[in-house]
Amino acid sequence: MALDTMKGLKRTHYCGEIPLEPQEVVVCGFADRVRDMGNLIFINLRDRTGIVQLAFSDETERAVFEKAQQVKSEYVLMAKGNIRPRESVNDKLKTGSVEIAVSDLRILSKAETTPFEVTNSEKVNEELKLRYRYLDLRSPKLQKNMIMRHDIARVAREYFYENGFLEIETPMLMRSTPEGARDYLVPSRVHGGSFYALPQSPQIYKQLLMISGYDRYIQLARCFRDEDLRADRQPEFTQIDLEMSFVEPEDIQSCVEGCIQRLFKEILGIDVVLPLERMTFADAMQRYGSDKPDTRFGFEIQDISEEVRGMDFVVFSSALENGGSVRAINVKNGAAVYTRKEIDKLTEHAKGIGAKGLAYIRWADEPNCSFKKFLKDGDLERICGRMNAEKGDLVLICADKTATVLSTLGALRLIAAKKLDIIPEDVYNFVWITEMPFFEFDDESGNWVAAHHPFTMVMEECLDKLDSDPANVRAKAWDLVLNGTELSSGSMRITDFQLQQKMFEALGMSDEEIQAKFGFLVDAYRFAAPPHGGMGIGLDRLAMIMCKADSLRDVVAFPKVQNASELMSGCPAEVDQKQLDELSIAVK
């Protein structure tokens, strides 16, 4: 049978938005489910707004009824008919109290049997769903996520427009500059042997826009980084990118807070109380062992070095003698869940992070201490008192270099909270992490390296420490963290070209390297620049949290997998030799 056309009909309503009172409507969509009961046929018609039931009976014109008998799942249909009350109401559907008595049915496209059921794909193999991503994108779950992502982008744009920002596009083909991750390179056909880079961020261009006098810039910018993937990372991503002139850090943060408040109110109906909490980087590491702390639960890290000092336990004493520390977390009510076997698993995890081991006090019926034979009178009571430990609790203790201790306990507090299922789902804890370290120590090279892009302004009181005390140099930089996920990074920028030159030198760059990679920016600063700073808010990560998704894959239309390939289209892929020849490229 030949396929029908739309001729003579025009859609009047979306499936999930039909009126609930009697009238004639025309709807279009995919056949979600077909129930043929002989003299009755019901077809659930699905589009991006929801589902409506199409009804066919003895009262339906015979040709229309026979056509309905041919319909299978995922056929593309167009239907005209009158709305009427349903005999059996479906409370799970927005349109569940009515149905459409069809008078005209068009089969616009037929579908073969799909490799999985579109609206029941929760338990389908992830690889199969990504191979047929266009089918999975038909599912109500993913369509809801994509619509919410669209709404986030729309509301953000509206907010920044209202606050005087100009949306300006920056180049996708740019010069390769060091920004922390590997660049994706694009060979030039015209300039053989030379390459463009896809932007890791629009960082340099948005600073140039401030030098150009545009004052407030906004862009939903596509960014590219060739780095290992995780659940909250993709090689290509979108950030709500902004830059502002004549401002201090608090001005930028306040502006972003207003955007966050608007987004959560308009999209989720949640009131975000401003101003958001602020915490220094040092405080976050001391309390949570992470620069992106999840503050929805306790288990905060406590320093018990003084409580254990003098104990005849070499694990503790050697850590303190070597300048490290002994710290602990109290997993409240953890004794019942964490048996010895489960604690052994935690110990292996701690070793995987870099710790030498894990000590513990498990207080079930009575305190059971893993280092009991080294205790003297009063030692256990002193430790438990410091940790506010009581019957039912589990105290996890780590002794090592302080950095190792903090990162280990920071990871274990998250594992324990998930194990005990105490992390509230409908709580959104935002926190600004401020006074970020300017340098970080690279164990491989033995040198201090930049923790941020090289245009980040150092705090004025730290300028004289750049050469003499890099460990204590703090940057005018900050992160916005939500429920343990870094949403955004921002900083004030260096606007003095002499200071910028000094900063490049402090990062170990030669004059030739500076001129080759950043000469045009350094030159621009010679012609005066307003004080400015900015941020990039991760749109994908924000959407992931607002949609309560488990992975960025659930809020990105066509995502990559762990090895940065796309299963649906099969990219990356080899290209013709002719194309390589045109680009002066040979593949080894």
Side-chain angles (χ1 to χ4, degrees), residues 286-299:
Q286 294 287 327
R287 294 170 59 188
Y288 299 100
S290 172
D291 59 355
K292 43 181 183 293
D294 191 336
T295 60
R296 290 175 294 174
F297 61 97
F299 302 176

Side-chain angles (χ1 to χ4, degrees), residues 16-217:
E17 298 173 351
I18 63 168
L20 302 183
E21 60 273 357
Q23 61 181 275
E24 188 176 73
V25 296
V26 178
V27 291
C28 307
F30 296 88
D32 184 73
R33 185 184 176 199
V34 180
R35 287 172 292 156
D36 188 341
M37 295 178 282
N39 61 338
L40 286 175
I41 298 175
F42 296 105
I43 299 174
N44 283 358
L45 191 68
R46 182 191 73 242
D47 65 18
R48 73 185 199 197
T49 66
I51 289 174
V52 65
Q53 178 170 282
L54 308 182
F56 306 83
S57 66
D58 292 340
E59 298 176 2
T60 305
E61 184 179 328
R62 195 61 196 169
V64 174
F65 189 91
E66 290 175 353
K67 189 178 290 185
Q69 289 178 311
Q70 303 172 28
V71 173
K72 297 179 181 179
S73 294
E74 300 308 314
Y75 275 29
V76 177
L77 308 177
M78 192 174 200
K80 174 184 175 182
N82 289 302
I83 296 172
R84 68 185 184 193
R86 281 180 63 161
E87 290 186 9
S88 178
V89 174
N90 186 345
D91 294 328
K92 296 180 180 180
L93 299 179
K94 286 191 298 182
T95 62
S97 62
V98 295
E99 64 186 12
I100 299 174
V102 178
S103 58
D104 189 352
L105 178 67
R106 311 281 178 93
I107 298 177
L108 303 179
S109 184
K110 293 183 178 181
E112 295 181 2
T113 302
T114 55
F116 55 86
E117 190 177 346
V118 167
T119 54
N120 189 26
S121 61
E122 290 296 312
K123 296 182 180 180
V124 176
N125 176 272
E126 187 73 12
E127 187 173 311
L128 182 64
K129 290 195 291 184
L130 289 170
R131 171 68 182 84
Y132 295 93
R133 183 65 170 182
Y134 44 84
L135 293 179
D136 200 24
L137 282 170
R138 293 181 188 178
S139 68
K141 175 187 172 182
L142 284 188
Q143 292 204 335
K144 178 184 176 183
N145 289 354
M146 295 303 152
I147 292 170
M148 183 179 289
R149 180 192 167 104
H150 158 79
D151 287 336
I152 293 170
R154 173 183 56 79
V155 173
R157 274 194 165 103
E158 292 170 354
Y159 171 83
F160 286 109
Y161 293 165
E162 291 169 11
N163 283 275
F165 286 78
L166 301 175
E167 184 162 10
I168 304 174
E169 292 182 345
T170 53
M172 297 292 279
L173 297 175
M174 57 179 287
R175 186 185 184 93
S176 177
T177 56
E179 289 195 40
R182 287 181 296 272
D183 284 326
Y184 278 103
L185 299 177
V186 180
S188 169
R189 178 184 59 80
V190 177
H191 304 280
S194 294
F195 295 81
Y196 302 101
L198 299 179
Q200 293 188 32
S201 76
Q203 186 61 50
I204 293 176
Y205 287 105
K206 66 180 182 179
Q207 289 184 237
L208 289 169
L209 286 171
M210 296 301 103
I211 295 173
S212 303
Y214 286 92
D215 195 73
R216 290 191 168 198
Y217 142 92

Side-chain angles (χ1 to χ4, degrees), residues 289-351:
S290 172
D291 59 355
K292 43 181 183 293
D294 191 336
T295 60
R296 290 175 294 174
F297 61 97
F299 302 176
E300 290 191 26
I301 299 171
Q302 306 292 334
D303 190 343
I304 61 170
S305 297
E306 293 308 312
E307 281 72 20
V308 302
R309 193 178 298 278
M311 282 183 56
D312 189 22
F313 183 33
V314 68
V315 174
F316 293 168
S317 59
S318 63
L320 296 175
E321 288 169 5
N322 292 320
S325 60
V326 183
R327 300 174 190 246
I329 58 172
N330 182 2
V331 180
K332 300 296 290 183
N333 302 311
V337 173
Y338 277 99
T339 61
R340 176 59 188 272
K341 184 177 180 180
E342 292 296 325
I343 294 174
D344 287 343
K345 292 180 182 178
L346 285 179
T347 302
E348 290 305 310
H349 195 94
K351 290 179 179 178

